Amino acid sequence: MTWLVWRQHRAQFYLGAALLAAFAVVIAITGVQVADQYHAAEAACAAGQGCRHLGGLFLGSHAVGFLVISTLGAPVLVGLFLGAPLLAAEYETGTTQFAWMQSVTRKHWLAVKVSWMLLAAAAWGGVISILVTWWSGPDNAQQLDAFKPGRFDLMGAVPVAYALFAMALGIAAGALLRRVLPAIAVTLAGFIAARAVITLLLRPHYMSAVTVTYNVLVGYTPPGSYWRLAQGVLGPNGQTLPQPNGVDYLDGIPLAYLPGSCAAPARGAATVPASCSQALAHFRGFLTYQPADRYWTFQGIETGIFLVLAAALIALTAFVVLRRDA
């Protein structure tokens, strides 16, 4: 009976690997389609058939929506399908005891298994990064959004770190829980929680953000692919103006703060009366952002965080297997 269960878990393991390979193929094929669509549109633009809103090709494309959603969750797949069952399945079937009664030591047994899985995870994360950087290159060049959450997470070095963390989390969960399904559930929940906390709470503060104020009539746009954290308007007394819904604005300022002469420009009039311009001069826009030249610094910081977490989880796994089960 144990032999049959062991073979079943092996079959599930290989099925997981096959699903990961199939997922990578689908991402690659869809990426080719997106790149072909963009280059066809670009060729039509060059031929004089109109160049407006090439970015809409990406924003309105179901293929791109599929790619973005899929690749955001892709790193955790190695933890779910390969990491969580790695030790949990062995404990469930009792094959660990069989292996340890042979000439193979616990340390060697664990090192070989974990090393191969971490290598596979790094390769998986690298594939994700290369594919996404390739197919999204034209869109990033036009939209300048590579630094924004949802795009930052898909390119550069961080997908490799995410995959390594997911794998380490799955292995540690399997070692602690010794059951495949609970280990998979904990891996998924832990990965989502870690990504959410770091993306929303830590990443904006890796380095002190830059805040600039500017003339609302002129506006201000930082160079390159910057990451906007906050933007608004300061009143004459330096207070931040609320931004209610359902009201008319002129240059980001609710009309309630402006003279009546500003009502027509707010509704699309071509000229701004002098009295309105004088009133607008007392307001300043502000923008808090991370500059584009910090992109790779942030990539390095976040990669380091997830590598440290992965190393801690592997150390925990080693403690459980080599010490607690000794």
Side-chain angles (χ1 to χ4, degrees):
M1 183 66 179
T2 300
W3 173 254
L4 293 176
V5 175
W6 180 81
R7 291 188 63 182
Q8 181 182 10
H9 282 304
R10 286 296 179 187
Q12 293 173 349
F13 181 86
Y14 291 129
L15 176 60
L19 289 174
L20 291 177
F23 181 86
V25 171
V26 170
I27 292 295
I29 293 175
T30 310
V32 170
Q33 295 173 346
V34 171
D36 287 345
Q37 290 175 13
Y38 182 87
H39 291 305
E42 194 174 35
C45 166
Q49 299 178 25
C51 305
R52 297 183 61 189
H53 307 304
L54 267 181
L57 172 67
F58 285 83
L59 297 176
S61 170
H62 295 296
V64 171
F66 166 79
L67 283 173
V68 171
I69 294 173
S70 299
T71 48
L72 278 172
V76 75
L77 297 180
V78 291
L80 300 178
F81 291 120
L82 302 181
L86 181 67
L87 298 181
E90 301 279 4
Y91 280 117
E92 283 187 341
T93 58
T95 52
T96 53
Q97 296 300 324
F98 175 78
W100 296 338
M101 288 187 295
Q102 309 304 310
S103 60
V104 179
T105 65
R106 292 171 185 253
K107 185 176 182 180
H108 178 75
W109 177 85
L110 181 65
V112 170
K113 281 183 170 291
V114 171
S115 297
W116 278 109
M117 288 300 100
L118 291 178
L119 181 62
W124 175 249
V127 168
I128 294 171
S129 177
I130 291 170
L131 288 176
V132 174
T133 302
W134 164 59
W135 63 254
S136 64
D139 183 45
N140 291 331
Q142 184 181 29
Q143 303 294 329
L144 298 178
D145 57 359
F147 207 161
K148 297 178 181 178
R151 292 301 182 99
F152 176 91
D153 315 75
L154 302 177
M155 297 175 289
V158 291
V160 177
Y162 296 157
L164 288 169
F165 168 72
M167 179 65 78
L169 179 59
I171 293 172
L176 290 169
L177 301 176
R178 304 189 179 195
R179 294 293 184 270
V180 174
L181 291 181
I184 289 175
V186 168
T187 300
L188 180 60
F191 184 84
I192 293 174
R195 288 286 307 276
V197 168
I198 290 177
T199 300
L200 300 178
L201 301 181
L202 297 184
R203 187 188 298 167
H205 308 291
Y206 289 164
M207 298 177 68
S208 298
V210 175
T211 298
V212 297
T213 59
Y214 54 89
N215 187 327
V216 294
L217 293 174
V218 177
Y220 175 75
T221 301
S225 180
Y226 69 95
W227 178 17
R228 184 180 67 185
L229 301 177
Q231 190 170 19
V233 177
L234 301 175
N237 298 323
Q239 77 278 20
T240 301
L241 300 184
Q243 301 291 308
N245 296 322
V247 300
D248 291 326
Y249 289 84
L250 179 61
D251 294 316
I253 305 171
L255 288 183
Y257 294 95
L258 299 173
S261 59
C262 293
R267 295 179 174 85
T271 59
V272 178
S275 59
C276 180
S277 296
Q278 293 173 357
L280 290 173
H282 297 288
F283 294 85
R284 302 286 293 176
F286 73 90
L287 173 65
T288 301
Y289 69 101
Q290 294 290 354
D293 59 8
R294 295 180 178 178
Y295 175 85
W296 285 109
T297 302
F298 275 54
Q299 282 271 329
I301 294 172
E302 189 146 323
T303 297
I305 290 173
F306 277 94
L307 290 180
V308 168
L309 292 175
L313 289 168
I314 294 301
L316 175 62
T317 301
F319 175 80
V320 171
V321 174
L322 302 179
R323 301 294 183 183
R324 192 187 72 177
D325 296 335

